[in-house]
Amino acid sequence: MHDEELRSALAALLDGLPPSRATAAVERLISEYRGRTTTDTPVLRDRADAVAYAAYRMPATFAAVSAALAEFRARLPEWGPRRHVDVGGGTGAAGWAVAAAWPGGVHTTVLDWSESALGIGRELAARALPDVEWRRERIGPALALPPTDLVTISYVLGELTEGDRAAAVDAAGTAARAVLVIEPGTPEGYMRVMAARDRLVGAGFTVLAPCPHSDRCPMVPGEDWCHFAARVSRSSLHRRVKGGSLGHEDEKYSYVAAVRPDPAEDAGPHEQGHALSGTPAQGRIVRRPQIRKGQVLLELCTDREGLARRTVTKRDRTAYRAARDAAWGDSWPPPEEGPKGEGPEG
């Protein structure tokens, strides 16, 4: 429901901006994001920038954050946050995703240093998300967050210097019981997520998703990277800017969701002061499953073997049906099944 509300709000917002202005703003922003990292000035300079960015990027960010939250919730189904801080949240896409994941009970605070982005986010959320606070804040060494249940840091680390990235992750790890970091599904984005993951694990956090463990990632930097995809419906602005005719695209993203296993001193009644003791998946499908005649090939990251391959055949009917329905990014084996397949290959 929030997805439809967001798209309606974005369409209404874009109506007031000439198509040529919106397209030009998006093209400039794409160029900025592909350029060098800087924190001297906000990337979104004015209202036109913020409107264009929101219309172009918010549906994809919402889809990626929602997909990551779904995997996090699958590992910790009984828990839900009451307080959420979105660091560098811009126009608030992560706040929409959190509200959709846990309807009716989360207070969100969006922190960003672009007044234009915060203003547009406030307009978009006015009716659908009343329990959101919008605060101008520079993301850097001086960042201090209030005690909270969940911190999201989505699609912002690439805009920061290395020092400011570390400060943002450290502030999240100090304040929150659960942290979700999401970056574009590129080799560079993956490396930023891995750096954040290392800092969180070093601070005592346990990784719940997508990894089946909190040890070092078995993928070799420069040779491979861990990323997933979320299907997004393209808006007319997407099609204009990209010159494409398809009504959808796949948003590639990398992420890590981690929790602090020790109970927070100020945990409210919703958390009951208990430790967050979710269990990672035994394995994660890290490539699109390959369906062959009578068998399905799965590329996995596993809790004990690192990267491994499973061949699931018709001989195990239950596992075979599950494998045919499995998607890139899913946990494996499915929750209701024990370990299946014929063991690792090659």
Side-chain angles (χ1 to χ4, degrees), residues 28-327:
R28 185 189 68 77
L29 291 170
I30 291 173
S31 177
E32 288 265 1
Y33 280 112
R34 288 174 178 167
R36 68 181 181 87
T37 298
T38 177
T39 55
D40 293 337
T41 56
V43 175
L44 304 182
R45 299 182 303 198
D46 54 27
R47 178 181 173 84
D49 277 358
V51 169
Y53 171 83
Y56 186 74
R57 283 299 307 164
M58 278 189 77
T61 302
F62 172 86
V65 177
S66 294
L69 284 175
E71 293 301 324
F72 171 66
R73 292 174 64 215
R75 310 325 310 169
L76 200 65
E78 301 301 320
W79 182 79
R82 287 195 180 277
R83 301 157 297 180
H84 163 228
V85 176
D86 188 17
V87 174
T91 52
W96 285 79
V98 167
W102 293 283
V106 186
H107 172 78
T108 288
T109 301
V110 180
L111 306 180
D112 201 273
W113 66 340
S114 169
E115 286 284 10
S116 299
L118 293 170
I120 293 302
R122 189 181 294 110
E123 286 183 43
L124 290 168
R127 294 184 180 180
L129 306 180
D131 198 9
V132 180
E133 178 185 355
W134 306 84
R135 281 175 34 196
R136 189 168 191 267
E137 190 86 42
R138 190 182 189 283
I139 312 304
L143 179 66
L145 305 179
T148 190
D149 301 314
L150 172 67
V151 168
T152 53
I153 308 175
S154 62
Y155 291 87
V156 68
L157 294 182
E159 301 175 28
L160 305 177
T161 65
E162 186 173 347
D164 287 350
R165 293 172 195 163
V169 174
D170 289 348
T174 299
R177 305 187 70 202
V179 178
L180 175 64
V181 178
I182 304 178
E183 282 288 295
T186 62
E188 296 79 14
Y190 160 74
M191 292 300 294
R192 291 191 290 268
V193 169
M194 287 300 99
R197 181 185 186 275
D198 288 346
R199 298 192 77 85
L200 291 171
V201 171
F205 278 68
T206 298
V207 177
L208 288 191
C211 317
H213 55 76
S214 297
D215 296 331
R216 182 172 293 277
C217 177
M219 293 190 178
V220 179
E223 296 181 9
D224 204 352
W225 69 98
C226 183
H227 65 292
F228 306 96
R231 181 59 55 91
V232 185
S233 297
R234 277 180 170 173
S235 66
S236 58
L237 179 58
H238 275 90
R239 291 192 290 270
R240 283 203 308 272
V241 172
K242 292 196 171 181
S245 58
L246 288 178
H248 65 269
E249 64 181 3
D250 287 334
E251 172 68 14
K252 307 290 178 60
Y253 64 97
S254 295
Y255 78 100
V256 63
V259 296
R260 184 182 293 282
D262 56 301
E265 293 181 1
D266 67 334
H270 192 58
E271 294 80 30
Q272 300 178 339
H274 296 315
L276 299 187
S277 55
T279 304
Q282 293 180 35
R284 181 76 56 183
I285 301 173
V286 294
R287 293 288 180 272
R288 295 188 190 279
Q290 300 179 51
I291 300 177
R292 307 283 174 79
K293 185 176 181 181
Q295 63 183 19
V296 181
L297 306 182
L298 300 177
E299 300 287 343
L300 304 173
C301 181
T302 67
D303 56 350
R304 296 181 180 180
E305 305 165 74
L307 298 176
R309 181 179 296 170
R310 295 286 187 270
T311 300
V312 184
T313 70
K314 280 187 174 180
R315 283 181 293 176
D316 190 329
R317 294 182 180 180
T318 302
Y320 180 69
R321 285 195 297 268
R324 286 185 63 89
D325 291 338

